[in-house]
Amino acid sequence: MSALPEATIALIDAAKRFAALSGRFTPHDALPREALQNPGLAAVVASALAEACDVDLDGTGRWLLRSNERRFVLTSLRESGALSAAVGQRMALGYDPETRQLLAAALGTGDFAETVVERDIADPGVDQARIAAIVTAIERAGGALMRFLAAAKSRLHSFERDERRRFVTEQLFVGRVEEMTALLDWFKQGLDQPRARAAYIGGIPGIGKSALLEETVQRIEAQEAPIVVRLDFDRAGLTILDLLRLTMEVARQVSAHISRDSAALAEARLVAGRVEQGSEQFIASDASKFPARLGHAIGEAVTTSGRPVLLILDTLEVLRGRGEQHPVALFEWIDHLVNAGVKPLHILAAGRGEALDSCPDRIGLPIALKGLDEASAAQMLAILEVPGPSRAHIQDIADGNPLVLRLAAECVRRFGGAALPDQAIDRQITAPYLYRFLLSRLDDPLLSALANPGLIARRISADFLREVLAPALNLPPLSEAEALSCFTKLAAQHWLVGPDDEPGFVRHRPDMRHVLLPILYSEQPQQCARIDLLADRWFSRREDNLSRVDALYHRLQRMRSGAKPPRIAPGIAVQFSPDMIAELPSTAQAALQRSTGRRSAQFRTSAPSGRKMDEREATHEIIGLIERQDWRECRYVVERVLQAGEIDPDGDLSTAIMTFHWRVGEWHSARQRLRVRRPAEPFDVAMMAPMLGVTLLEIWAEAGGPEIGRALRDVPLLSILGEAQQQPRSLARIGALGFRSMALEAAFHGEAYDREPDPRTYCLVHYVHGHEGSAGYQVETIARERMRQRLADGHSGDVPAGPMAVASLTPYAFFAATLALQPGNQWIEEQAHADEARLSRLPSLFGDARFNTLSDSPIAGIAGLGLFAEWAEATVFFRPHAELRSLATSAERWRRVIAGDWRYGRKPTGWLRDQWSPVDSSGFGSIQAPLVLDWSLHARVLRLSDSHDPETAATEELAGWAPDGDPARLLQMLVARYGRAIGTATLMDNSLSRAAHLRRHRVPAAFLPALVVLLDMVHLSLD
């Protein structure tokens, strides 16, 4: 069977149609009623839908159909004339505002009629939220409205540009002539350096870094018309750990600048965002690789435009806060962009402190901002219309600090020069003094009462004033009109608040919070605690992402008053800026950093020398980095730990280091560290952090020693194992650990299903006496369907069946893909690229079928063909590698179990297929034969032996496995290494017995079928 039943395909199409006509949706809502009535059928439909979606985007469990899938479905509906009916059916099911806009745009009706959209884009009075909604709806719906997309994006870009201009105007940019000249010269000079370097603006908060950066950009834009790309690492989701997303963000911005010529680039973005069949498990490892095809598409677009690129890197201290190696990785990624053709490229960067101290050679022009000089300070005060007699006094107390200059000017403007502090005041408390003075003298008494201490809140709206601050401060209830009036007055205090991303909100200025918060929490702790409590509840009731961030922020602030540490969702926590983190109590900061993998002060370049290592803190840090899959930074920390001196080989820190090696595929190194620790009892493992405990269980299960047997009978450990088995392709679920636990658990039925089919179910149904049902069939069906969808255009050949198909679900390939990303291992992926191209078109393996390669995920591609174990063994045969060899051994053991040859200690009750196996020479049928090999090898040997020209087929198969394509040389290597075993095999008269003998002598499974056949066809010299 090469495809799913037509009825199942129809249900999958219906689920995808629901998703295409929805914004973000709950997966259960997308499944047709017929599927929901049958759990097995629901599993198949959900699996197919999941592969077409981005899942759990915002921590709510909702999915979103990918752009290319949505475009295909909607185009099909339009071309068939079924779009209107489909929209009507979808509307009858209920919808949220996001979906309503999509449906209206799809039909071009209501507020998304062509005339309305065209009018709104051109109307300068239409706000940013409406334009953003138009852009999103058109991108999703496509159709006739696509002709307005470029204009809508241009209008949206103008909002962002105007906001930056307002920022510069509000900052009253003055002076900085010397710095500005240096930056403009930096842009004009030729950039032929082999490695990217930046002009870096550094300085303390409030000194004017962002104002100088924006003023420079505006002047360059006026003179040179560059393509401006902005990467602000303070924004949610922008991380160097996801190079695919980062590169797609560059592509998006470049596309917006050259909208009329960006069709090819837009197509490249769609292709890059597509998760190809068979590569779903490898998304995490692929994200950390530079997407070369997309990079070259950006480069071609830039070259065609004839314009230079100006890359703006703001808030680099956020990036630096995530790890020492993040700035290093950022500039290596920029090097990839330049090499892909994104040039000429000029980089302007800004950050606090030494944000680039881990890569100082990447600073081409350092701009260290100090206070304004006297002339510039005087110019600022003149612009602020400060009376002459007060200017000298202000300059004396400000010492050139732009923040103090603005606050002092506001004091004089409103209350006269007598309101200024005495010149003898400590300059470090000048800003707090002025801030408190202004806050206490707001014109509106109600606003003054609400603002102090109400401004511990980051974001404020009229409803927030009425529903949170008034009750928290025991003020009389506010009417909506009173709250709106008060909010309007607050929004006019530009020295205090600024605009927020969400309409109807203002944001307390970060520089002001830096001054005010310590004072408020110190002087009014009880009132602040009540505000944080009510603010937490208020924001928690809202469903938008910004509110979830604020709810967690106030929850963490409540730890000041003794509240327990809250549950921290990493997806929300990573959106906290350094300013927000710095505002939290130290205990909350530590909890937040652990949840997101943000680095502590240990092992920093800036850390004080001589500090003793805190092993507990180092352990938490390594675990957090592993959870984020920040392998580069984790390796950096591990190396610093080992350099710091000896550690307890039996302690948690040593186990954390072992876990790091295991997770990046360095299994030999992990086992070496395990060998030097004393045997651990199950109780000790149960007391470890779950990740460490599960890793020990996985290592024991792969090794097969007595430890795993004792551990799997320990109740506390079973609870840890049960949680780990919720991950679809984890080793705890379907690796050696999963199979060993299955053998001990007679009640296992294989009913649990989240997104992936479970190979254990397949084995139970096909190899264990007394187990019946369709679950095993579904595993094989899904695996074969994924293979079928990778068939090259014009090829409809059959695809492997049985265990040769189920082998494509191997959990071990992911570790090899991660191993290939580690230093010195790039050759592994390069080898996989070359091997996948040959193997995907090898007739002796796949007959007439030809498969598309996964160029960005070659190891995933090989795994998807069901050949990962064979490939890994073959690779280390040609190029020995201790880490990959360890992985290959485990992968081959797993492959044999999938094919009926149990290799994990005691067999499950009723395991029969070590005596009989359903194979024939085609590998797809069902006859009874004694099993001397596993099912798959048995089928491959018979298939070659029974082919029309066995010698030619076997020679071609060996050539397919040989990196140089030379079968004769490969035969010579096999004879040299396994000569004695081959000599004995030639004396046997049965090809299957020969194969079994050679397998016992560890001849790689990749070469074994061809070698067995050629023993009959050629005379091998064994001298």
Side-chain angles (χ1 to χ4, degrees):
M1 177 177 177
S2 62
L4 292 170
E6 289 186 7
T8 304
I9 293 175
L11 293 176
I12 293 172
D13 290 342
K16 288 185 176 181
R17 188 161 54 249
F18 177 95
L21 294 169
S22 303
R24 287 165 291 186
F25 63 92
T26 301
H28 180 276
D29 294 341
L31 299 184
R33 182 179 304 171
E34 298 91 327
L36 292 173
Q37 292 171 349
N38 181 332
L41 190 57
V44 176
V45 176
S47 176
L49 180 60
E51 289 166 7
C53 294
D54 292 318
V55 300
D56 200 17
L57 284 172
D58 49 11
T60 63
R62 293 183 297 175
W63 294 3
L64 181 69
L65 193 68
R66 294 194 187 96
S67 300
N68 58 307
E69 293 279 357
R70 190 189 303 275
R71 182 173 61 174
F72 174 80
V73 173
L74 294 182
T75 299
S76 299
L77 290 172
R78 284 192 180 93
E79 291 177 350
S80 64
L83 180 61
S84 294
V87 169
Q89 292 169 1
R90 175 65 187 86
M91 292 181 71
L93 299 174
Y95 48 83
D96 57 14
E98 189 179 5
T99 298
R100 184 204 68 77
Q101 292 173 354
L102 165 63
L103 298 176
L107 295 181
T109 59
D111 54 347
F112 284 90
E114 291 187 41
T115 54
V116 177
V117 169
E118 185 175 25
R119 180 200 67 200
D120 286 354
I121 293 173
D123 185 353
V126 172
D127 64 18
Q128 184 174 354
R130 167 61 176 163
I131 300 300
I134 289 174
V135 170
T136 300
I138 293 178
E139 285 182 330
R140 290 178 177 174
L145 292 180
M146 284 296 293
R147 65 190 181 96
F148 300 115
L149 183 59
K153 284 185 173 181
S154 177
R155 177 74 191 286
L156 190 61
H157 182 63
S158 71
F159 278 110
E160 297 170 354
R161 189 167 56 248
D162 291 345
E163 184 176 334
R164 288 191 292 271
R165 285 175 178 164
R166 282 195 302 272
F167 170 79
V168 173
T169 301
E170 290 173 2
Q171 296 298 302
L172 297 177
F173 184 82
V174 296
R176 308 295 191 195
V177 175
E178 182 179 338
E179 293 92 340
M180 177 67 70
T181 301
L183 289 168
L184 293 176
D185 289 344
W186 170 260
F187 181 84
K188 292 174 183 176
Q189 66 180 261
L191 297 178
D192 297 323
Q193 304 98 331
R195 303 174 78 223
R197 296 192 301 160
Y200 177 65
I201 306 170
I204 63 173
I207 202 66
K209 299 181 299 297
S210 295
L212 175 59
L213 184 70
E214 294 301 336
E215 182 69 19
T216 303
V217 172
Q218 288 189 22
R219 294 192 187 185
I220 292 174
E221 283 185 308
Q223 297 172 11
E224 305 289 341
I227 298 172
V228 179
V229 175
R230 295 174 176 272
L231 299 179
D232 185 347
F233 290 96
D234 197 9
R235 292 185 179 181
L238 205 55
T239 168
I240 197 62
L241 298 181
D242 192 343
L243 295 187
L244 174 59
R245 190 177 218 175
L246 203 57
T247 309
M248 290 187 72
E249 174 62 18
V250 172
R252 182 191 69 79
Q253 295 190 41
V254 170
S255 180
H257 275 276
I258 57 172
S259 54
R260 296 186 183 279
D261 304 310
S262 61
L265 181 55
E267 181 63 27
R269 286 172 61 199
L270 286 173
V271 172
R274 182 182 303 137
V275 178
E276 299 183 75
Q277 289 291 331
S279 68
E280 301 85 0
Q281 182 194 9
F282 298 80
I283 293 174
S285 61
D286 289 345
S288 58
K289 295 186 298 186
F290 178 74
R293 285 189 295 180
L294 179 59
H296 284 291
I298 299 171
E300 290 172 5
V302 169
T303 301
T304 301
S305 74
R307 297 161 62 186
V309 176
L310 179 59
L311 178 60
I312 309 301
L313 305 174
D314 204 359
T315 59
L316 278 180
E317 69 275 7
V318 176
L319 188 72
R320 178 67 172 73
R322 294 171 185 163
E324 295 284 303
Q325 295 300 299
H326 284 226
V328 179
L330 171 66
F331 279 93
E332 290 179 357
W333 169 73
I334 295 173
D335 288 340
H336 282 302
L337 283 176
V338 174
N339 292 334
V342 184
K343 54 187 176 183
L345 176 70
H346 309 266
I347 308 171
L348 296 182
R352 296 180 187 175
E354 303 297 330
L356 294 182
D357 61 351
S358 59
C359 52
D361 57 317
R362 296 296 194 154
I363 301 177
L365 175 66
I367 303 287
L369 289 190
K370 307 294 183 183
L372 293 174
D373 57 39
E374 287 191 16
S376 300
Q379 183 184 357
M380 173 178 276
L381 294 175
I383 294 173
L384 292 170
E385 300 180 351
V386 174
S390 297
R391 292 181 188 177
H393 189 175
I394 291 177
Q395 286 187 253
D396 237 8
I397 64 175
D399 196 26
N401 186 314
L403 172 61
V404 178
L405 287 168
R406 289 197 304 272
L407 288 174
E410 184 72 11
C411 279
V412 171
R413 184 183 70 81
R414 295 173 59 185
F415 306 107
L420 294 174
D422 185 79
Q423 294 179 11
I425 191 173
D426 186 340
R427 283 174 173 165
Q428 291 187 345
I429 64 170
T430 303
Y433 173 89
L434 295 171
Y435 189 101
R436 297 288 301 277
F437 181 85
L438 287 168
L439 198 60
S440 66
R441 287 165 174 76
L442 290 173
D443 296 334
D444 187 322
L446 176 59
L447 177 58
S448 181
L450 289 168
N452 187 8
L455 283 173
I456 63 169
R458 297 174 54 251
R459 298 193 310 129
I460 295 173
S461 68
D463 286 341
F464 186 88
L465 292 176
R466 183 167 59 89
E467 298 172 11
V468 175
L469 291 187
L473 300 173
N474 295 317
L475 296 175
L478 298 180
S479 67
E480 291 187 9
E482 288 173 324
L484 182 59
S485 172
C486 197
F487 174 77
T488 303
K489 293 175 182 176
L490 175 63
Q493 305 295 320
H494 299 300
W495 63 275
L496 182 61
V497 297
D500 184 62
D501 293 339
E502 182 177 356
F505 277 76
V506 292
R507 187 183 294 265
H508 193 191
R509 292 173 60 109
D511 51 2
M512 298 300 177
R513 294 180 68 76
H514 178 74
V515 171
L516 180 67
L517 253 62
I519 300 171
L520 293 178
Y521 277 112
S522 173
E523 295 182 355
Q524 304 176 64
Q526 292 182 342
Q527 278 192 320
C528 289
R530 180 162 171 76
I531 292 171
D532 282 323
L533 173 63
L534 296 183
D536 171 12
R537 294 174 178 173
W538 191 81
F539 281 115
S540 295
R541 290 194 295 268
R542 294 166 55 88
E543 296 183 355
D544 60 288
N545 181 66
L546 289 175
S547 293
R548 280 193 285 270
V549 172
D550 277 307
L552 178 58
Y553 172 85
H554 287 285
R555 216 166 293 144
L556 290 166
Q557 288 288 19
R558 290 177 57 206
M559 292 176 67
R560 293 177 183 272
S561 55
K564 293 181 179 180
R567 178 184 174 276
I568 300 175
I572 300 299
V574 295
Q575 300 177 50
F576 277 52
S577 68
D579 283 324
M580 293 171 65
I581 296 173
E583 293 168 6
L584 299 173
S586 58
T587 51
Q589 289 186 34
L592 193 76
Q593 287 168 339
R594 283 197 296 270
S595 73
T596 60
R598 278 193 176 99
R599 291 287 315 284
S600 69
Q602 267 200 123
F603 312 116
R604 289 284 196 177
T605 305
S606 56
S609 59
R611 178 187 175 188
K612 185 179 179 180
M613 179 176 64
D614 183 333
E615 289 200 9
R616 185 172 179 274
E617 184 179 317
T619 302
H620 281 305
E621 194 149 295
I622 291 173
I623 291 174
L625 290 167
I626 292 171
E627 288 174 341
R628 288 183 63 203
Q629 299 187 27
D630 190 349
W631 306 128
R632 182 172 188 154
E633 187 69 14
C634 196
R635 185 176 298 279
Y636 174 88
V637 173
V638 166
E639 289 173 353
R640 295 304 178 278
V641 167
L642 297 177
Q643 290 171 8
E646 291 189 11
I647 60 174
D648 180 3
D650 302 324
D652 282 357
L653 180 55
S654 180
T655 308
I657 294 173
M658 179 187 67
T659 299
F660 162 71
H661 288 305
W662 188 256
R663 296 299 164 200
V664 297
E666 294 171 353
W667 284 19
H668 175 75
S669 297
R671 284 167 169 156
Q672 289 291 97
R673 183 159 289 277
L674 181 61
R675 288 189 184 102
V676 301
R677 81 178 275 144
R678 63 178 173 79
E681 294 300 323
F683 174 80
D684 299 326
V685 180
M687 296 302 292
M688 293 178 180
M691 175 181 288
L692 305 188
V694 168
T695 299
L696 266 177
L697 292 176
E698 290 174 357
I699 296 176
W700 287 341
E702 296 295 339
E707 299 90 349
I708 189 61
R710 292 197 302 270
L712 290 177
R713 290 175 174 84
D714 185 80
V715 174
L717 274 183
L718 289 179
S719 64
I720 296 175
L721 177 61
E723 190 171 330
Q725 287 181 334
Q726 297 304 309
Q727 300 301 317
R729 286 204 191 181
S730 66
L731 297 179
R733 183 182 178 109
I734 65 170
L737 180 55
F739 274 95
R740 290 184 189 276
S741 66
M742 178 195 81
L744 295 173
E745 186 184 355
F748 177 82
H749 298 297
E751 295 175 353
Y753 185 93
D754 31 28
R755 280 188 57 199
E756 293 291 339
D758 193 330
R760 295 177 303 173
T761 306
Y762 174 84
C763 288
L764 282 171
V765 170
H766 288 277
Y767 303 133
V768 176
H769 178 70
H771 278 269
E772 297 180 357
S774 62
Y777 164 77
Q778 291 164 2
V779 173
E780 180 182 347
T781 300
I782 294 172
R784 296 192 74 202
E785 175 63 12
R786 292 179 177 181
M787 282 188 171
R788 189 188 67 79
Q789 292 188 22
R790 277 188 59 192
L791 286 170
D793 293 341
H795 287 271
S796 58
D798 215 340
V799 296
M804 290 194 288
V806 178
S808 66
L809 303 176
T810 175
Y812 297 91
F814 174 78
F815 291 90
T818 306
L819 177 65
L821 298 175
Q822 305 312 305
N825 291 341
Q826 289 78 8
W827 68 270
I828 296 176
E829 182 162 291
E830 293 168 1
Q831 187 62 56
H833 267 294
D835 293 342
E836 186 195 12
R838 295 193 311 274
L839 295 174
S840 62
R841 283 159 168 71
L842 200 57
S844 61
L845 291 175
F846 302 114
D848 295 331
R850 299 292 184 271
F851 294 93
N852 291 317
T853 59
L854 305 183
S855 60
D856 288 334
S857 307
I859 295 175
I862 291 170
L865 298 174
L867 297 175
F868 172 73
E870 294 92 333
W871 172 81
E873 274 196 322
T875 300
V876 295
F877 172 83
F878 294 112
R879 184 170 176 173
H881 188 278
E883 310 292 3
L884 185 57
R885 181 183 299 280
S886 189
L887 273 171
T889 300
S890 287
E892 172 62 9
R893 187 182 298 118
W894 183 89
R895 183 200 65 76
R896 293 174 71 174
V897 172
I898 290 298
D901 184 11
W902 185 261
R903 312 300 298 174
Y904 293 134
R906 183 179 178 182
K907 299 181 181 68
T909 302
W911 189 277
L912 302 176
R913 295 303 191 242
D914 53 347
Q915 301 172 32
W916 300 95
S917 178
V919 298
D920 67 7
S921 58
S922 70
F924 301 112
S926 177
I927 63 172
Q928 296 293 304
L931 179 65
V932 294
L933 291 168
D934 64 74
W935 195 99
S936 298
L937 272 182
H938 195 145
R940 284 181 59 200
V941 170
L942 291 184
R943 182 165 183 161
L944 272 183
S945 300
D946 294 348
S947 63
H948 174 70
D949 185 350
E951 182 176 356
T952 299
T955 302
E956 288 178 350
E957 183 164 312
L958 277 186
W961 284 109
D964 59 1
D966 186 348
R969 181 171 175 273
L970 175 51
L971 277 173
Q972 292 172 357
M973 294 176 68
L974 290 168
V975 169
R977 191 170 302 184
Y978 305 106
R980 181 173 297 180
I982 291 175
T984 302
T986 58
L987 302 177
M988 300 176 179
D989 58 3
N990 181 286
S991 61
L992 296 176
S993 298
R994 290 176 175 181
H997 173 77
L998 292 174
R999 192 68 194 112
R1000 283 195 297 272
H1001 285 80
R1002 301 189 178 182
V1003 173
F1007 315 138
L1008 194 144
L1011 179 58
V1012 168
V1013 170
L1014 290 176
L1015 287 179
D1016 283 335
M1017 304 299 171
V1018 298
H1019 297 288
L1020 299 175
S1021 174
L1022 303 178
D1023 297 335

